[in-house]
Protein backbone atom coordinates (compact mmCIF):
# COMPACT_ATOMS: atom_id res chain seq x y z
CA UNK A 1 0.00 0.00 0.00
CA UNK A 2 2.85 2.41 0.72
CA UNK A 3 3.66 4.47 -2.35
CA UNK A 4 7.30 4.67 -1.25
CA UNK A 5 7.55 0.89 -0.93
CA UNK A 6 5.82 0.45 -4.29
CA UNK A 7 8.37 2.80 -5.84
CA UNK A 8 11.10 0.35 -4.79
CA UNK A 9 9.29 -2.88 -5.59
CA UNK A 10 8.45 -1.81 -9.14
CA UNK A 11 12.18 -1.34 -9.76
CA UNK A 12 12.89 -4.83 -8.41
CA UNK A 13 10.20 -6.25 -10.69
CA UNK A 14 11.51 -4.26 -13.63
CA UNK A 15 14.95 -5.87 -13.43
CA UNK A 16 13.70 -9.30 -12.38
CA UNK A 17 15.71 -9.37 -9.15
CA UNK A 18 14.88 -11.86 -6.42
CA UNK A 19 13.84 -10.18 -3.21
CA UNK A 20 12.15 -10.82 0.12
CA UNK A 21 9.48 -8.47 1.38
CA UNK A 22 9.48 -8.07 5.15
CA UNK A 23 6.11 -6.89 6.43
CA UNK A 24 5.79 -4.64 9.47
CA UNK A 25 2.78 -3.93 11.66
CA UNK A 26 2.00 -0.34 10.78
CA UNK A 27 -0.94 -0.05 13.20
CA UNK A 28 1.27 -1.18 16.08
CA UNK A 29 3.94 1.34 14.98
CA UNK A 30 6.48 -1.45 14.57
CA UNK A 31 8.37 0.75 12.12
CA UNK A 32 9.16 3.07 15.04
CA UNK A 33 9.82 0.42 17.67
CA UNK A 34 11.39 -2.63 16.02
CA UNK A 35 15.20 -2.69 16.52
CA UNK A 36 15.60 -4.64 13.27
CA UNK A 37 13.67 -2.05 11.29
CA UNK A 38 15.34 0.90 12.99
CA UNK A 39 18.71 -0.60 12.18
CA UNK A 40 17.76 -0.42 8.52
CA UNK A 41 15.95 2.91 8.70
CA UNK A 42 16.88 4.90 11.82
CA UNK A 43 14.22 7.50 11.03
CA UNK A 44 11.49 4.95 11.71
CA UNK A 45 10.04 5.23 8.23
CA UNK A 46 9.81 2.99 5.22
CA UNK A 47 11.04 1.59 2.99
CA UNK A 48 14.08 0.08 4.57
CA UNK A 49 16.29 -1.84 2.15
CA UNK A 50 19.05 -4.35 2.78
CA UNK A 51 21.31 -5.98 0.21
CA UNK A 52 24.02 -7.97 1.96
CA UNK A 53 25.70 -5.56 4.34
CA UNK A 54 24.39 -2.53 2.44
CA UNK A 55 21.54 -0.67 4.14
CA UNK A 56 19.64 1.99 2.22
CA UNK A 57 16.68 4.25 2.84
CA UNK A 58 14.75 6.76 0.70
CA UNK A 59 12.81 5.09 -2.09
CA UNK A 60 14.24 6.99 -5.05
CA UNK A 61 17.84 6.34 -3.97
CA UNK A 62 17.02 2.66 -3.48
CA UNK A 63 15.38 2.52 -6.90
CA UNK A 64 18.43 4.01 -8.60
CA UNK A 65 20.68 1.51 -6.84
CA UNK A 66 18.53 -1.39 -8.03
CA UNK A 67 18.37 -0.18 -11.62
CA UNK A 68 22.11 0.45 -11.61
CA UNK A 69 23.13 -2.89 -10.06
CA UNK A 70 20.87 -5.10 -12.12
CA UNK A 71 21.20 -3.31 -15.43
CA UNK A 72 21.34 -5.89 -18.21
CA UNK A 73 22.03 -5.54 -21.92
CA UNK A 74 20.41 -2.47 -23.39
CA UNK A 75 18.05 -2.01 -20.45
CA UNK A 76 19.47 1.17 -18.94
CA UNK A 77 16.62 3.20 -17.51
CA UNK A 78 19.13 5.54 -15.84
CA UNK A 79 20.82 6.32 -19.18
CA UNK A 80 24.21 6.26 -17.48
CA UNK A 81 26.06 5.65 -20.72
CA UNK A 82 25.54 9.30 -21.64
CA UNK A 83 26.10 12.07 -19.06
CA UNK A 84 23.56 14.36 -20.75
CA UNK A 85 20.85 11.69 -20.81
CA UNK A 86 21.67 10.63 -17.25
CA UNK A 87 21.29 14.23 -16.11
CA UNK A 88 17.85 14.37 -17.73
CA UNK A 89 16.81 11.22 -15.85
CA UNK A 90 18.07 12.69 -12.58
CA UNK A 91 16.20 15.91 -13.28
CA UNK A 92 12.98 14.04 -14.05
CA UNK A 93 13.27 12.21 -10.73
CA UNK A 94 13.83 15.46 -8.85
CA UNK A 95 10.86 17.07 -10.59
CA UNK A 96 8.70 14.09 -9.64
CA UNK A 97 9.76 14.41 -6.00
CA UNK A 98 9.45 18.18 -5.66
CA UNK A 99 6.75 19.21 -8.17
CA UNK A 100 4.58 16.28 -9.24
CA UNK A 101 4.20 14.32 -6.01
CA UNK A 102 3.43 17.35 -3.77
CA UNK A 103 0.63 18.25 -6.20
CA UNK A 104 -0.90 14.82 -6.77
CA UNK A 105 -0.40 13.13 -3.39
CA UNK A 106 -2.91 15.24 -1.37
CA UNK A 107 -5.63 14.24 -3.84
CA UNK A 108 -4.81 10.57 -3.36
CA UNK A 109 -4.75 10.90 0.41
CA UNK A 110 -8.02 12.83 0.53
CA UNK A 111 -9.89 10.55 -1.88
CA UNK A 112 -8.47 7.13 -0.98
CA UNK A 113 -6.37 6.84 2.17
CA UNK A 114 -8.06 9.20 4.61
CA UNK A 115 -11.60 7.93 3.99
CA UNK A 116 -10.43 4.32 4.35
CA UNK A 117 -8.19 4.76 7.38
CA UNK A 118 -9.91 7.58 9.25
CA UNK A 119 -13.45 7.41 7.96
CA UNK A 120 -13.29 11.09 7.02
CA UNK A 121 -14.65 12.52 3.75
CA UNK A 122 -12.34 14.21 1.30
CA UNK A 123 -11.62 17.87 1.91
CA UNK A 124 -12.95 19.75 -1.11
CA UNK A 125 -10.62 22.65 -0.33
CA UNK A 126 -7.50 20.48 -0.28
CA UNK A 127 -8.52 18.63 -3.44
CA UNK A 128 -9.34 21.81 -5.36
CA UNK A 129 -6.08 23.49 -4.39
CA UNK A 130 -4.08 20.40 -5.29
CA UNK A 131 -5.85 19.98 -8.63
CA UNK A 132 -4.87 23.53 -9.53
CA UNK A 133 -1.24 22.78 -8.68
CA UNK A 134 -1.38 19.52 -10.62
CA UNK A 135 -2.80 21.25 -13.69
CA UNK A 136 0.14 23.64 -13.72
CA UNK A 137 2.59 20.74 -13.49
CA UNK A 138 0.85 18.79 -16.23
CA UNK A 139 0.84 21.85 -18.48
CA UNK A 140 4.62 21.97 -18.22
CA UNK A 141 4.88 18.24 -18.90
CA UNK A 142 2.56 18.46 -21.88
CA UNK A 143 4.65 21.23 -23.42
CA UNK A 144 7.90 19.34 -22.89
CA UNK A 145 6.78 15.91 -24.04
CA UNK A 146 7.62 16.43 -27.66
CA UNK A 147 8.23 13.89 -30.37
CA UNK A 148 9.27 10.38 -29.47
CA UNK A 149 8.52 8.35 -26.39
CA UNK A 150 10.45 9.44 -23.27
CA UNK A 151 12.04 6.76 -21.09
CA UNK A 152 9.71 5.31 -18.46
CA UNK A 153 9.92 7.04 -15.10
CA UNK A 154 9.10 4.32 -12.61
CA UNK A 155 9.06 6.68 -9.65
CA UNK A 156 5.90 8.28 -11.04
CA UNK A 157 3.98 5.03 -10.91
CA UNK A 158 2.51 4.71 -7.38
CA UNK A 159 0.75 8.04 -6.94
CA UNK A 160 -0.38 8.14 -10.57
CA UNK A 161 -1.84 4.66 -10.21
CA UNK A 162 -3.90 5.68 -7.20
CA UNK A 163 -4.90 8.99 -8.76
CA UNK A 164 -6.36 7.09 -11.70
CA UNK A 165 -8.94 5.44 -9.43
CA UNK A 166 -10.13 8.77 -8.03
CA UNK A 167 -12.99 10.74 -9.62
CA UNK A 168 -10.40 13.17 -10.99
CA UNK A 169 -8.65 10.75 -13.36
CA UNK A 170 -10.26 12.42 -16.45
CA UNK A 171 -7.94 15.37 -15.82
CA UNK A 172 -5.29 13.48 -17.76
CA UNK A 173 -7.56 13.52 -20.83
CA UNK A 174 -6.81 17.23 -21.11
CA UNK A 175 -3.14 16.45 -21.68
CA UNK A 176 -2.88 13.83 -24.46
CA UNK A 177 0.92 13.59 -24.42
CA UNK A 178 0.94 13.09 -20.66
CA UNK A 179 -1.86 10.55 -20.90
CA UNK A 180 0.02 8.63 -23.60
CA UNK A 181 3.14 8.63 -21.44
CA UNK A 182 1.16 7.23 -18.50
CA UNK A 183 -0.50 4.55 -20.63
CA UNK A 184 2.90 3.36 -21.84
CA UNK A 185 4.21 3.26 -18.29
CA UNK A 186 1.12 1.44 -17.01
CA UNK A 187 1.51 -1.18 -19.74
CA UNK A 188 4.97 -2.27 -18.63
CA UNK A 189 4.94 -5.85 -17.23
CA UNK A 190 6.56 -4.75 -13.97
CA UNK A 191 3.95 -2.07 -13.41
CA UNK A 192 1.04 -4.32 -14.36
CA UNK A 193 2.24 -7.06 -11.99
CA UNK A 194 2.61 -4.72 -9.05
CA UNK A 195 -0.62 -2.82 -9.75
CA UNK A 196 -2.59 -6.06 -9.69
CA UNK A 197 -1.74 -6.53 -6.04
CA UNK A 198 -2.16 -2.96 -4.81
CA UNK A 199 -5.29 -2.50 -2.70
CA UNK A 200 -7.71 0.20 -3.79
CA UNK A 201 -10.92 -0.63 -1.92
CA UNK A 202 -11.45 0.86 1.57
CA UNK A 203 -11.62 -2.62 3.07
CA UNK A 204 -8.37 -3.69 1.45
CA UNK A 205 -6.63 -0.51 2.54
CA UNK A 206 -7.70 -1.01 6.14
CA UNK A 207 -6.52 -4.64 6.07
CA UNK A 208 -3.20 -3.60 4.62
CA UNK A 209 -2.44 -1.07 7.33
CA UNK A 210 -4.12 -2.82 10.25
CA UNK A 211 -3.25 -6.42 9.53
Amino acid sequence: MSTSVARVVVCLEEVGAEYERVDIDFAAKEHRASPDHLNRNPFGQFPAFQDGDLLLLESRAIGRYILRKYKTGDVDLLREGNPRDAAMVDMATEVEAHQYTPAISPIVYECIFHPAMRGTPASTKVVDESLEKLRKVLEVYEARLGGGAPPPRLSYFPFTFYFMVTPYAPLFDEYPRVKGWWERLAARPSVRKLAAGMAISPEAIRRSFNG
Side-chain angles (χ1 to χ4, degrees):
M1 280 302 304
S2 164
T3 53
S4 295
V5 172
R7 196 177 288 119
V8 171
V9 176
V10 75
C11 292
L12 290 164
E13 292 290 348
E14 181 73 21
V15 299
E18 293 185 7
Y19 63 93
E20 176 188 3
R21 190 188 73 191
V22 179
D23 293 331
I24 60 173
D25 189 335
F26 180 82
K29 302 187 184 303
E30 185 180 358
H31 53 300
R32 298 180 183 176
S34 166
D36 286 342
H37 185 79
L38 289 172
N39 180 55
R40 298 185 182 97
N41 190 324
F43 295 105
Q45 299 172 335
F46 43 80
F49 180 87
Q50 181 171 357
D51 184 12
D53 61 357
L54 176 66
L55 302 176
L56 295 176
L57 49 111
E58 297 298 340
S59 60
R60 294 170 185 85
I62 298 170
R64 284 194 293 269
Y65 168 78
I66 293 166
L67 295 177
R68 185 175 293 124
K69 177 175 180 177
Y70 293 100
K71 178 180 65 175
T72 58
D74 59 352
V75 180
D76 181 11
L77 297 184
L78 299 179
R79 300 296 193 267
E80 292 189 317
N82 182 303
R84 180 187 177 93
D85 291 346
M88 295 299 290
V89 172
D90 289 343
M91 182 179 71
T93 303
E94 292 295 321
V95 170
E96 177 266 317
H98 300 295
Q99 303 295 331
Y100 185 80
T101 290
I104 200 171
S105 61
I107 303 169
V108 171
Y109 278 104
E110 290 296 329
C111 294
I112 297 179
F113 292 116
H114 290 172
M117 297 174 65
R118 302 177 181 174
T120 56
S123 166
T124 302
K125 181 176 184 294
V126 171
V127 170
D128 288 347
E129 291 176 350
S130 298
L131 283 171
E132 186 61 28
K133 293 177 183 178
L134 182 58
R135 283 191 176 93
K136 292 179 180 178
V137 173
L138 295 181
E139 286 171 3
V140 174
Y141 285 15
E142 184 73 8
R144 290 177 175 257
L145 285 172
R153 311 298 191 199
L154 296 176
S155 62
Y156 282 80
F157 155 65
F159 273 116
T160 310
F161 167 79
Y162 284 121
F163 178 82
M164 288 303 180
V165 297
T166 74
Y168 305 99
L171 176 64
F172 272 53
D173 294 337
E174 301 175 21
Y175 307 95
R177 290 175 176 172
V178 175
K179 184 178 181 181
W181 158 82
W182 164 247
E183 289 175 343
R184 290 189 294 273
L185 177 59
R188 296 183 74 82
S190 60
V191 172
R192 292 176 62 185
K193 179 178 178 180
L194 187 57
M198 291 172 70
I200 57 174
S201 70
E203 295 78 11
I205 292 171
R206 282 192 290 268
R207 285 198 304 270
S208 180
F209 279 100
N210 298 323

